[in-house]
């Protein structure tokens, strides 16, 4: 299941530094606007301690974590929706993502320029959000211009329904509100999905703070401003010192854990961001295990067993017969599948079984 989050923000807010930390890559992070022109894509192994514990039990030939794709997109500037900066090229890259991670500068540093010559996180957020709203409004208006009159004349039910959904969206956008602020029925969502609109995509704010503020966020005025603003939008804020995370990315897991512990921090900002991204996209993890491989797989909450089988291979879904399933917590307690069978902890489930986070599956199929 390919999932991609786009990292966006104004130039020089820490997007590429964050991306470097996430992917352990060396993307250019120069101190000038548009250092990032083409989107850099990195695939991240989502470290899950459950995979490590399963590996200890099954001692497989290989261990594979589930993955998440992050896309570092060129800095947005005021007027992008009208072609300023990289304009529509930037916006088209965002349309290809499943979620948006908006990096907001909350640190002061006179050595790092700001496109507006001062640090104001709320102004920055509103600049980006306004450009996304205008871009969506253009898409909605263009579509309405093509179908509205024709739908009214033909009285085609599907076309009229589409027009009404678009009019609802347009009213929201004209009021300078993002589409996430509206409630849409499942049928309305299907219509809007065709246009890959930006302001309906799930969003997380990353507040890029300096390392000192990270230790006492209550004293970081800019971070508190972002939290207050995000609360009104029902959007989560993840505080991260992007510079520190980039340095941590060079450490081994043991060194990283020791460093964070010395600061009294339980987990890194990046770990929290990945967790928040999963929650944002309504994702969970199931596992397949054996002597050859222990592997984590991503699925959307609410998916049934055949759909999860299809995450592995489409043939598994087509020829699905049943699934043997047990819980991660049970294998940790009983230590072997033989002991699980003896305890009656392995179940046989059919096509209607709804998967849960932490399920361990063995799929039976026939094609």
């Amino acid at each position: 299941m390919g999932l991609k989050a786009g990292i966006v923000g104004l130039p020089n807010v820490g997007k590429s530094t964050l991306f470097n930390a996430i992917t352990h890559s060396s993307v250019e992070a120069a101190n000038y606007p548009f250092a990032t022109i083409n989107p850099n894509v990195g695939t991240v192994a989502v470290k899950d301690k459950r995979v490590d514990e399963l590996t200890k039990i099954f001692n497989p030939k290989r261990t594979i974590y589930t993955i998440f794709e992050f896309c570092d997109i060129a800095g947005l500037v005021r007027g992008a929706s009208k072609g300023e900066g990289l304009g529509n090229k930037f916006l088209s890259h965002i349309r290809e993502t499943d979620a948006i991670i908006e990096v907001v500068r909350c640190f002061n540093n006179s050595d790092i320029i700001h496109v507006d010559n001062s640090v104001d996180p709320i102004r920055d957020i509103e600049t980006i959000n306004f450009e996304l709203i205008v871009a969506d409004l253009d898409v909605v208006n263009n579509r309405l211009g093509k179908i509205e009159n024709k739908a009214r004349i033909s009285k085609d039910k599907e076309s009229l329904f589409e027009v009404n959904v678009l009019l609802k969206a347009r009213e929201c956008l004209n009021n300078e509100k993002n589409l996430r602020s509206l409630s849409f029925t499942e049928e309305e969502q299907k219509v809007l999905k065709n246009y890959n609109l930006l302001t309906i995509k799930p969003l997380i704010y990353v507040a890029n703070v300096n390392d000192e503020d990270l230790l006492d966020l209550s004293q970081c005025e800019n971070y508190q401003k972002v939290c207050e603003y995000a609360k009104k939008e029902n959007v989560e804020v993840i505080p991260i010192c992007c510079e520190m995370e980039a340095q941590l990315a060079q450490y081994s897991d043991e060194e990283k854990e020791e460093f964070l512990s010395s600061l009294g921090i339980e987990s890194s900002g990046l770990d929290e961001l990945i967790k928040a991204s999963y929650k944002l996209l309504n994702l969970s993890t199931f596992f397949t295990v054996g002597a050859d491989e222990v592997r984590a797989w991503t699925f959307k909450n609410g998916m049934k067993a055949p759909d999860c089988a299809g995450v592995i291979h489409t043939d598994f879904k087509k020829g699905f017969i049943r699934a043997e399933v047990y819980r991660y917590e049970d294998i940790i307690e009983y230590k072997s599948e033989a002991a699980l069978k003896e305890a009656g902890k392995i179940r046989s489930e059919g096509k209607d079984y709804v998967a849960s986070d932490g399920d361990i599956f063995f799929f039976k199929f026939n094609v």
Side-chain angles (χ1 to χ4, degrees):
M1 178 177 284
L3 295 159
K4 184 188 292 185
I7 302 174
V8 305
L10 293 174
N12 304 332
V13 297
K15 299 185 322 307
S16 293
T17 304
L18 176 63
F19 179 81
N20 290 346
I22 288 173
T23 61
H24 293 207
S25 63
S26 55
V27 176
E28 184 179 15
N31 182 26
Y32 56 89
F34 311 123
T36 309
I37 296 176
N38 294 316
N40 300 288
V41 178
T43 301
V44 184
V46 180
K47 294 301 178 71
D48 188 328
K49 290 182 180 178
R50 294 175 297 181
V51 175
D52 300 330
E53 294 302 316
L54 290 170
T55 297
K56 291 176 187 176
I57 292 172
F58 289 92
N59 193 27
K61 294 176 184 175
R62 61 183 178 274
T63 297
I64 302 175
Y65 297 90
T66 188
I67 60 172
F68 199 95
E69 199 168 77
F70 287 90
C71 183
D72 177 31
I73 299 169
L76 179 65
V77 294
R78 188 175 287 107
S81 57
K82 302 301 181 185
E84 294 295 324
L86 295 173
N88 291 330
K89 185 175 183 181
F90 167 92
L91 296 170
S92 68
H93 292 318
I94 306 179
R95 292 196 191 283
E96 297 167 7
T97 65
D98 300 295
I100 296 175
I101 295 171
E102 189 172 322
V103 181
V104 185
R105 179 171 170 174
C106 292
F107 66 90
N108 292 299
N109 186 331
S110 59
D111 293 331
I112 301 177
I113 62 174
H114 189 288
V115 289
D116 290 321
N117 298 314
S118 64
V119 176
D120 183 341
I122 304 307
R123 177 199 60 207
D124 293 354
I125 288 173
E126 289 179 343
T127 294
I128 290 177
N129 291 354
F130 177 75
E131 294 302 326
L132 301 185
I133 286 169
V134 173
D136 277 356
L137 193 54
D138 285 344
V139 171
V140 170
N141 281 332
N142 286 338
R143 180 58 181 166
L144 280 170
K146 291 178 181 176
I147 69 163
E148 189 170 9
N149 288 336
K150 196 180 293 184
R152 305 240 185 255
I153 294 168
S154 68
K155 305 233 185 292
D156 176 68
K157 286 185 179 180
E158 286 188 12
S159 298
L160 285 170
F161 182 75
E162 180 181 1
V163 166
N164 288 332
V165 173
L166 292 172
L167 288 172
K168 178 180 176 180
R170 185 171 71 179
E171 183 181 4
C172 175
L173 296 166
N174 274 330
N175 289 323
E176 296 187 11
K177 293 182 179 179
N178 62 66
L179 295 176
R180 284 185 302 276
S181 65
L182 283 187
S183 295
F184 293 100
T185 66
E186 190 174 332
E187 290 304 311
E188 288 174 332
Q189 288 174 20
K190 286 179 183 177
V191 170
L192 294 175
K193 191 175 182 181
N194 294 324
Y195 307 114
N196 226 357
L197 296 167
L198 302 171
T199 65
I200 204 168
K201 291 182 184 294
L203 171 74
I204 292 176
Y205 290 124
V206 164
N208 186 10
V209 301
N210 64 37
D211 52 356
E212 292 179 0
D213 286 331
L214 190 64
L215 298 177
D216 188 2
L217 290 166
S218 65
Q219 299 302 309
C220 182
E221 185 179 349
N222 285 329
Y223 170 72
Q224 295 300 330
K225 286 179 181 177
V226 174
C227 288
E228 187 177 340
Y229 185 94
K231 189 175 181 180
K232 297 173 186 175
E233 292 189 310
N234 196 29
V235 173
E236 187 167 2
V237 181
I238 305 294
I240 291 181
C241 174
C242 294
E243 193 65 41
M244 186 177 79
E245 294 291 343
Q247 293 173 10
L248 280 175
Q250 309 306 315
Y251 294 176
S252 68
D253 289 343
E254 293 77 14
E255 290 171 332
K256 181 178 173 181
E257 192 171 330
E258 186 178 337
F259 178 78
L260 291 172
S261 180
S262 71
L263 296 177
I265 299 173
E266 291 185 10
S267 58
S268 75
L270 292 184
D271 291 338
E272 293 304 313
L273 177 58
I274 290 171
K275 287 179 190 173
S277 298
Y278 260 64
K279 182 180 176 183
L280 186 72
L281 292 171
N282 196 28
L283 303 175
S284 288
T285 304
F286 72 84
F287 307 97
T288 53
V289 298
D292 286 335
E293 179 182 280
V294 164
R295 184 163 183 167
W297 304 86
T298 301
F299 71 98
K300 281 199 176 284
N301 291 323
M303 285 175 66
K304 294 183 178 180
D307 298 314
C308 289
V311 170
I312 299 174
H313 198 287
T314 53
D315 284 349
F316 285 23
K317 180 177 180 178
K318 290 177 185 175
F320 180 89
I321 299 172
R322 68 179 186 277
E324 291 185 355
V325 58
Y326 57 87
R327 298 291 299 154
Y328 165 79
E329 293 81 6
D330 289 336
I331 190 67
I332 295 302
E333 180 182 350
Y334 287 88
K335 305 300 182 187
S336 74
E337 289 185 337
L340 286 177
K341 286 179 182 176
E342 190 174 334
K345 295 292 184 179
I346 300 179
R347 312 183 310 275
S348 181
E349 300 286 358
K351 293 182 178 181
D352 292 330
Y353 176 71
V354 178
S356 296
D357 184 60
D359 276 349
I360 298 172
F361 279 116
F362 177 75
F363 294 109
K364 297 193 175 183
F365 68 101
N366 183 23
V367 178

